[in-house]
Amino acid sequence: MHIQMIGSRALVAAALLAALSPPVSAATVSGGTMVVNLDRDALADAIAIDATAAPSMYLEEFFDAPAANSRTATQILEDHIVPGVAEIPAKNLTFSVNGTHVANLTGRHAKPTTIEFDPANFASTVTGVIGLSGVFRFRVDTGSEFNRILSGDYALEYDAANMDGASGRSAWSLYNHVSFRSQSYNLFNVVLDIHDGSLDLSGELGLGEGYDHLFGTRDAIVGNFSLHTSVVPVPASIWLFVSGLGGLARIGMRRRQL
């Protein structure tokens, strides 16, 4: 009982501190697109599986947001927007930034956008992800009928632990969520620009560990991208409330450990 009393007083103090603290500048993003350009030769060179004279891997179909969001996972694997199974151009492929809620058909796992950050101190405050709508379908030269892979329903995530200054690898990665979660691409030489109510991100795509099962060359540069989305302020009252809850939870945990 005595410990509970101490914890309650600490919770009240933390709530008062949050209420009296100056507002933290917080924001999220809304709308926008990511445009991807794949280097078809670099992609083929980065995949070791190569059973015939055909490219080891090439883009067969691209389902943009409307096409992807109206299909189940099975339909994305089987449907043809472009007749046949030949290679299609891999330039100017546009993914749409998701809202805070998404509706998935069977087998789909597109992610909502949950990112929040302080525009003046992005790297130290960013949490959540940017969800993207769109799916690639690739053909892989396996020499068998099991030669299609899907990559998409991406979540763009920031993790400082992924940074490598020597290679130019940034803290950003694209995670696939078609069927399962995998780190499809690490983003290199990234430029982040937040100004005038927009967030712009650009750089290069390097193969992630999600291509290890195809004996892909980890971090091989296979294309580039540019993301543009609008920055939307989060009301200070909501940000303070969430921050206060985080503080209360931490204090409560420390009290229980005493």
Side-chain angles (χ1 to χ4, degrees):
M1 180 64 71
H2 181 60
I3 292 176
Q4 290 177 342
M5 290 293 291
I6 293 175
S8 298
R9 291 169 184 168
L11 297 181
V12 172
L16 288 173
L17 179 61
L20 294 174
S21 298
V24 178
S25 177
T28 184
V29 301
S30 177
T33 58
M34 173 182 275
V35 177
V36 172
N37 297 294
L38 295 175
D39 182 329
R40 51 96 62 195
D41 294 326
L43 181 63
D45 290 343
I47 302 300
I49 295 175
D50 194 6
T52 74
S56 59
M57 182 171 169
Y58 65 84
L59 184 66
E60 179 200 355
E61 290 285 357
F62 174 64
F63 299 86
D64 62 10
N69 294 342
S70 61
R71 286 174 166 83
T72 65
T74 299
Q75 289 172 323
I76 287 181
L77 186 63
E78 301 292 345
D79 286 0
H80 289 272
I81 296 175
V82 179
V85 298
E87 181 177 6
I88 66 170
K91 304 292 185 182
N92 297 314
L93 307 170
T94 301
F95 294 80
S96 295
V97 174
N98 293 333
T100 56
H101 299 282
V102 296
N104 285 301
L105 297 179
T106 304
R108 301 291 306 286
H109 305 283
K111 300 301 176 184
T113 292
T114 59
I115 193 169
E116 288 188 356
F117 54 91
D118 177 355
N121 190 18
F122 184 89
S124 298
T125 60
V126 60
T127 61
V129 308
I130 297 176
L132 298 165
S133 285
V135 179
F136 294 128
R137 187 168 80 210
F138 295 105
R139 289 270 171 173
V140 183
D141 190 25
T142 61
S144 73
E145 61 181 309
F146 301 104
N147 61 352
R148 289 166 294 169
I149 66 168
L150 303 179
S151 184
D153 288 345
Y154 292 125
L156 178 60
E157 302 185 19
Y158 184 96
D159 183 353
N162 288 334
M163 294 180 67
D164 178 47
S167 66
R169 189 176 67 218
S170 74
W172 294 95
S173 296
L174 278 173
Y175 284 84
N176 162 74
H177 288 92
V178 178
S179 301
F180 55 89
R181 173 181 165 88
S182 64
Q183 190 177 25
S184 290
Y185 301 100
N186 294 312
L187 306 188
F188 285 74
N189 303 313
V190 168
V191 176
L192 171 67
D193 184 17
I194 302 175
H195 72 289
D196 297 333
S198 66
L199 182 151
D200 296 311
L201 197 71
S202 61
E204 297 174 307
L205 299 172
L207 288 191
E209 64 183 25
Y211 287 95
D212 286 357
H213 69 294
L214 300 177
F215 304 101
T217 301
R218 186 79 65 86
D219 290 343
I221 302 300
V222 296
N224 60 62
F225 74 94
S226 60
L227 171 80
H228 176 79
T229 186
S230 297
V231 173
V232 180
V234 174
S237 59
I238 295 177
W239 184 252
L240 282 174
F241 176 72
V242 174
S243 300
L245 288 180
L248 299 182
R250 289 191 293 272
I251 291 173
M253 289 176 65
R254 288 198 292 269
R255 290 299 182 191
R256 287 194 294 271
Q257 291 170 356
L258 294 177

mmCIF file of all heavy atoms in Angstrom, residues 66-95:
data_model
loop_
_atom_site.group_PDB
_atom_site.id
_atom_site.type_symbol
_atom_site.label_atom_id
_atom_site.label_comp_id
_atom_site.label_asym_id
_atom_site.label_seq_id
_atom_site.Cartn_x
_atom_site.Cartn_y
_atom_site.Cartn_z
ATOM 1 N N PRO A 66 -4.171 2.411 -56.584
ATOM 2 C CA PRO A 66 -5.526 1.935 -56.920
ATOM 3 C C PRO A 66 -5.546 0.465 -57.328
ATOM 4 O O PRO A 66 -6.443 -0.291 -56.929
ATOM 5 C CB PRO A 66 -5.949 2.847 -58.076
ATOM 6 C CG PRO A 66 -5.140 4.090 -57.901
ATOM 7 C CD PRO A 66 -3.806 3.608 -57.387
ATOM 8 N N ALA A 67 -4.557 0.040 -58.118
ATOM 9 C CA ALA A 67 -4.529 -1.349 -58.583
ATOM 10 C C ALA A 67 -4.226 -2.312 -57.436
ATOM 11 O O ALA A 67 -4.806 -3.399 -57.350
ATOM 12 C CB ALA A 67 -3.487 -1.508 -59.685
ATOM 13 N N ALA A 68 -3.318 -1.917 -56.553
ATOM 14 C CA ALA A 68 -2.941 -2.787 -55.445
ATOM 15 C C ALA A 68 -4.043 -2.872 -54.393
ATOM 16 O O ALA A 68 -4.354 -3.959 -53.882
ATOM 17 C CB ALA A 68 -1.654 -2.284 -54.803
ATOM 18 N N ASN A 69 -4.649 -1.739 -54.072
ATOM 19 C CA ASN A 69 -5.620 -1.717 -52.984
ATOM 20 C C ASN A 69 -6.930 -2.402 -53.328
ATOM 21 O O ASN A 69 -7.738 -2.693 -52.440
ATOM 22 C CB ASN A 69 -5.891 -0.278 -52.551
ATOM 23 C CG ASN A 69 -4.668 0.377 -51.927
ATOM 24 O OD1 ASN A 69 -3.742 -0.303 -51.513
ATOM 25 N ND2 ASN A 69 -4.662 1.696 -51.870
ATOM 26 N N SER A 70 -7.150 -2.687 -54.612
ATOM 27 C CA SER A 70 -8.383 -3.363 -55.037
ATOM 28 C C SER A 70 -8.164 -4.851 -55.280
ATOM 29 O O SER A 70 -9.048 -5.527 -55.805
ATOM 30 C CB SER A 70 -8.926 -2.717 -56.312
ATOM 31 O OG SER A 70 -7.983 -2.840 -57.375
ATOM 32 N N ARG A 71 -6.994 -5.378 -54.881
ATOM 33 C CA ARG A 71 -6.672 -6.778 -55.137
ATOM 34 C C ARG A 71 -6.236 -7.505 -53.873
ATOM 35 O O ARG A 71 -5.580 -6.931 -53.001
ATOM 36 C CB ARG A 71 -5.558 -6.884 -56.192
ATOM 37 C CG ARG A 71 -6.014 -6.591 -57.611
ATOM 38 C CD ARG A 71 -4.828 -6.566 -58.565
ATOM 39 N NE ARG A 71 -5.248 -6.606 -59.965
ATOM 40 C CZ ARG A 71 -5.627 -5.543 -60.656
ATOM 41 N NH1 ARG A 71 -5.636 -4.336 -60.065
ATOM 42 N NH2 ARG A 71 -5.995 -5.647 -61.920
ATOM 43 N N THR A 72 -6.567 -8.786 -53.812
ATOM 44 C CA THR A 72 -6.043 -9.657 -52.769
ATOM 45 C C THR A 72 -4.594 -10.016 -53.112
ATOM 46 O O THR A 72 -4.113 -9.738 -54.221
ATOM 47 C CB THR A 72 -6.863 -10.946 -52.665
ATOM 48 O OG1 THR A 72 -6.692 -11.697 -53.890
ATOM 49 C CG2 THR A 72 -8.335 -10.649 -52.447
ATOM 50 N N ALA A 73 -3.915 -10.652 -52.171
ATOM 51 C CA ALA A 73 -2.540 -11.084 -52.428
ATOM 52 C C ALA A 73 -2.485 -12.078 -53.590
ATOM 53 O O ALA A 73 -1.572 -12.033 -54.425
ATOM 54 C CB ALA A 73 -1.945 -11.704 -51.164
ATOM 55 N N THR A 74 -3.452 -12.979 -53.665
ATOM 56 C CA THR A 74 -3.489 -13.961 -54.752
ATOM 57 C C THR A 74 -3.677 -13.286 -56.105
ATOM 58 O O THR A 74 -3.036 -13.648 -57.098
ATOM 59 C CB THR A 74 -4.616 -14.977 -54.519
ATOM 60 O OG1 THR A 74 -4.370 -15.675 -53.293
ATOM 61 C CG2 THR A 74 -4.701 -15.981 -55.661
ATOM 62 N N GLN A 75 -4.543 -12.290 -56.156
ATOM 63 C CA GLN A 75 -4.768 -11.576 -57.412
ATOM 64 C C GLN A 75 -3.526 -10.805 -57.855
ATOM 65 O O GLN A 75 -3.229 -10.742 -59.055
ATOM 66 C CB GLN A 75 -5.964 -10.626 -57.252
ATOM 67 C CG GLN A 75 -7.298 -11.339 -57.167
ATOM 68 C CD GLN A 75 -8.432 -10.409 -56.820
ATOM 69 O OE1 GLN A 75 -8.278 -9.476 -56.036
ATOM 70 N NE2 GLN A 75 -9.599 -10.661 -57.410
ATOM 71 N N ILE A 76 -2.801 -10.244 -56.904
ATOM 72 C CA ILE A 76 -1.576 -9.534 -57.271
ATOM 73 C C ILE A 76 -0.529 -10.508 -57.812
ATOM 74 O O ILE A 76 0.241 -10.180 -58.717
ATOM 75 C CB ILE A 76 -1.028 -8.745 -56.066
ATOM 76 C CG1 ILE A 76 -1.914 -7.517 -55.817
ATOM 77 C CG2 ILE A 76 0.415 -8.306 -56.281
ATOM 78 C CD1 ILE A 76 -1.477 -6.646 -54.678
ATOM 79 N N LEU A 77 -0.539 -11.721 -57.310
ATOM 80 C CA LEU A 77 0.402 -12.728 -57.806
ATOM 81 C C LEU A 77 0.028 -13.212 -59.199
ATOM 82 O O LEU A 77 0.907 -13.547 -60.005
ATOM 83 C CB LEU A 77 0.437 -13.911 -56.837
ATOM 84 C CG LEU A 77 1.469 -15.006 -57.125
ATOM 85 C CD1 LEU A 77 2.893 -14.462 -57.027
ATOM 86 C CD2 LEU A 77 1.278 -16.187 -56.170
ATOM 87 N N GLU A 78 -1.277 -13.220 -59.526
ATOM 88 C CA GLU A 78 -1.731 -13.837 -60.772
ATOM 89 C C GLU A 78 -2.151 -12.849 -61.858
ATOM 90 O O GLU A 78 -2.012 -13.138 -63.057
ATOM 91 C CB GLU A 78 -2.920 -14.774 -60.479
ATOM 92 C CG GLU A 78 -2.612 -15.900 -59.504
ATOM 93 C CD GLU A 78 -1.649 -16.932 -60.065
ATOM 94 O OE1 GLU A 78 -1.432 -16.937 -61.291
ATOM 95 O OE2 GLU A 78 -1.126 -17.736 -59.271
ATOM 96 N N ASP A 79 -2.696 -11.690 -61.502
ATOM 97 C CA ASP A 79 -3.268 -10.775 -62.498
ATOM 98 C C ASP A 79 -2.204 -10.153 -63.391
ATOM 99 O O ASP A 79 -1.054 -9.949 -62.974
ATOM 100 C CB ASP A 79 -4.048 -9.655 -61.807
ATOM 101 C CG ASP A 79 -5.378 -10.128 -61.253
ATOM 102 O OD1 ASP A 79 -5.695 -11.321 -61.411
ATOM 103 O OD2 ASP A 79 -6.088 -9.303 -60.641
ATOM 104 N N HIS A 80 -2.633 -9.830 -64.608
ATOM 105 C CA HIS A 80 -1.766 -9.138 -65.560
ATOM 106 C C HIS A 80 -2.405 -7.815 -65.974
ATOM 107 O O HIS A 80 -3.453 -7.800 -66.611
ATOM 108 C CB HIS A 80 -1.512 -10.001 -66.797
ATOM 109 C CG HIS A 80 -0.635 -11.173 -66.534
ATOM 110 N ND1 HIS A 80 0.730 -11.116 -66.619
ATOM 111 C CD2 HIS A 80 -0.938 -12.440 -66.159
ATOM 112 C CE1 HIS A 80 1.244 -12.293 -66.313
ATOM 113 N NE2 HIS A 80 0.253 -13.122 -66.028
ATOM 114 N N ILE A 81 -1.760 -6.731 -65.612
ATOM 115 C CA ILE A 81 -2.168 -5.419 -66.120
ATOM 116 C C ILE A 81 -1.619 -5.256 -67.534
ATOM 117 O O ILE A 81 -2.307 -4.816 -68.446
ATOM 118 C CB ILE A 81 -1.661 -4.297 -65.191
ATOM 119 C CG1 ILE A 81 -2.312 -4.426 -63.811
ATOM 120 C CG2 ILE A 81 -1.945 -2.926 -65.789
ATOM 121 C CD1 ILE A 81 -1.794 -3.449 -62.794
ATOM 122 N N VAL A 82 -0.361 -5.635 -67.701
ATOM 123 C CA VAL A 82 0.276 -5.675 -69.016
ATOM 124 C C VAL A 82 0.252 -7.131 -69.484
ATOM 125 O O VAL A 82 0.773 -8.007 -68.790
ATOM 126 C CB VAL A 82 1.726 -5.159 -68.951
ATOM 127 C CG1 VAL A 82 2.382 -5.236 -70.325
ATOM 128 C CG2 VAL A 82 1.769 -3.735 -68.411
ATOM 129 N N PRO A 83 -0.341 -7.440 -70.626
ATOM 130 C CA PRO A 83 -0.427 -8.838 -71.083
ATOM 131 C C PRO A 83 0.953 -9.479 -71.212
ATOM 132 O O PRO A 83 1.933 -8.828 -71.583
ATOM 133 C CB PRO A 83 -1.102 -8.719 -72.454
ATOM 134 C CG PRO A 83 -1.865 -7.433 -72.388
ATOM 135 C CD PRO A 83 -1.020 -6.511 -71.563
ATOM 136 N N GLY A 84 1.016 -10.766 -70.897
ATOM 137 C CA GLY A 84 2.263 -11.494 -71.030
ATOM 138 C C GLY A 84 3.146 -11.358 -69.805
ATOM 139 O O GLY A 84 2.785 -10.719 -68.811
ATOM 140 N N VAL A 85 4.324 -11.965 -69.913
ATOM 141 C CA VAL A 85 5.243 -11.994 -68.775
ATOM 142 C C VAL A 85 6.571 -11.308 -69.106
ATOM 143 O O VAL A 85 7.577 -11.534 -68.434
ATOM 144 C CB VAL A 85 5.502 -13.448 -68.317
ATOM 145 C CG1 VAL A 85 4.206 -14.097 -67.859
ATOM 146 C CG2 VAL A 85 6.151 -14.269 -69.431
ATOM 147 N N ALA A 86 6.561 -10.469 -70.112
ATOM 148 C CA ALA A 86 7.800 -9.786 -70.496
ATOM 149 C C ALA A 86 8.141 -8.675 -69.500
ATOM 150 O O ALA A 86 7.317 -8.248 -68.690
ATOM 151 C CB ALA A 86 7.651 -9.205 -71.905
ATOM 152 N N GLU A 87 9.357 -8.208 -69.582
ATOM 153 C CA GLU A 87 9.828 -7.136 -68.727
ATOM 154 C C GLU A 87 9.100 -5.830 -69.066
ATOM 155 O O GLU A 87 8.843 -5.529 -70.234
ATOM 156 C CB GLU A 87 11.332 -6.958 -68.924
ATOM 157 C CG GLU A 87 11.954 -5.876 -68.060
ATOM 158 C CD GLU A 87 13.461 -5.783 -68.245
ATOM 159 O OE1 GLU A 87 13.998 -6.495 -69.127
ATOM 160 O OE2 GLU A 87 14.104 -5.006 -67.515
ATOM 161 N N ILE A 88 8.759 -5.061 -68.026
ATOM 162 C CA ILE A 88 8.135 -3.753 -68.231
ATOM 163 C C ILE A 88 9.099 -2.666 -67.758
ATOM 164 O O ILE A 88 10.029 -2.940 -66.992
ATOM 165 C CB ILE A 88 6.795 -3.626 -67.477
ATOM 166 C CG1 ILE A 88 7.021 -3.648 -65.959
ATOM 167 C CG2 ILE A 88 5.823 -4.724 -67.913
ATOM 168 C CD1 ILE A 88 5.796 -3.283 -65.152
ATOM 169 N N PRO A 89 8.920 -1.421 -68.214
ATOM 170 C CA PRO A 89 9.795 -0.330 -67.766
ATOM 171 C C PRO A 89 9.738 -0.172 -66.254
ATOM 172 O O PRO A 89 8.684 -0.305 -65.630
ATOM 173 C CB PRO A 89 9.218 0.900 -68.473
ATOM 174 C CG PRO A 89 8.520 0.351 -69.673
ATOM 175 C CD PRO A 89 7.951 -0.971 -69.239
ATOM 176 N N ALA A 90 10.878 0.115 -65.664
ATOM 177 C CA ALA A 90 10.978 0.196 -64.207
ATOM 178 C C ALA A 90 11.294 1.614 -63.740
ATOM 179 O O ALA A 90 11.978 1.815 -62.740
ATOM 180 C CB ALA A 90 12.048 -0.775 -63.705
ATOM 181 N N LYS A 91 10.800 2.599 -64.466
ATOM 182 C CA LYS A 91 11.037 4.003 -64.143
ATOM 183 C C LYS A 91 9.732 4.689 -63.744
ATOM 184 O O LYS A 91 8.651 4.326 -64.193
ATOM 185 C CB LYS A 91 11.646 4.739 -65.338
ATOM 186 C CG LYS A 91 12.933 4.124 -65.876
ATOM 187 C CD LYS A 91 14.082 4.272 -64.895
ATOM 188 C CE LYS A 91 15.386 3.771 -65.496
ATOM 189 N NZ LYS A 91 16.519 3.851 -64.547
ATOM 190 N N ASN A 92 9.855 5.694 -62.891
ATOM 191 C CA ASN A 92 8.707 6.526 -62.481
ATOM 192 C C ASN A 92 7.557 5.695 -61.926
ATOM 193 O O ASN A 92 6.389 5.895 -62.284
ATOM 194 C CB ASN A 92 8.221 7.384 -63.647
ATOM 195 C CG ASN A 92 9.268 8.375 -64.114
ATOM 196 O OD1 ASN A 92 9.901 9.053 -63.297
ATOM 197 N ND2 ASN A 92 9.467 8.466 -65.429
ATOM 198 N N LEU A 93 7.888 4.766 -61.053
ATOM 199 C CA LEU A 93 6.892 3.915 -60.409
ATOM 200 C C LEU A 93 6.439 4.616 -59.121
ATOM 201 O O LEU A 93 7.243 4.867 -58.229
ATOM 202 C CB LEU A 93 7.493 2.552 -60.103
ATOM 203 C CG LEU A 93 8.143 1.866 -61.319
ATOM 204 C CD1 LEU A 93 8.916 0.636 -60.902
ATOM 205 C CD2 LEU A 93 7.089 1.527 -62.365
ATOM 206 N N THR A 94 5.151 4.916 -59.024
ATOM 207 C CA THR A 94 4.649 5.789 -57.965
ATOM 208 C C THR A 94 3.881 5.022 -56.897
ATOM 209 O O THR A 94 2.874 4.361 -57.182
ATOM 210 C CB THR A 94 3.746 6.879 -58.557
ATOM 211 O OG1 THR A 94 4.490 7.642 -59.520
ATOM 212 C CG2 THR A 94 3.252 7.818 -57.470
ATOM 213 N N PHE A 95 4.376 5.127 -55.665
ATOM 214 C CA PHE A 95 3.698 4.608 -54.483
ATOM 215 C C PHE A 95 3.010 5.778 -53.782
ATOM 216 O O PHE A 95 3.552 6.879 -53.726
ATOM 217 C CB PHE A 95 4.691 3.965 -53.517
ATOM 218 C CG PHE A 95 5.354 2.729 -54.046
ATOM 219 C CD1 PHE A 95 6.430 2.818 -54.925
ATOM 220 C CD2 PHE A 95 4.916 1.473 -53.674
ATOM 221 C CE1 PHE A 95 7.049 1.678 -55.417
ATOM 222 C CE2 PHE A 95 5.523 0.328 -54.161
ATOM 223 C CZ PHE A 95 6.597 0.428 -55.038
#
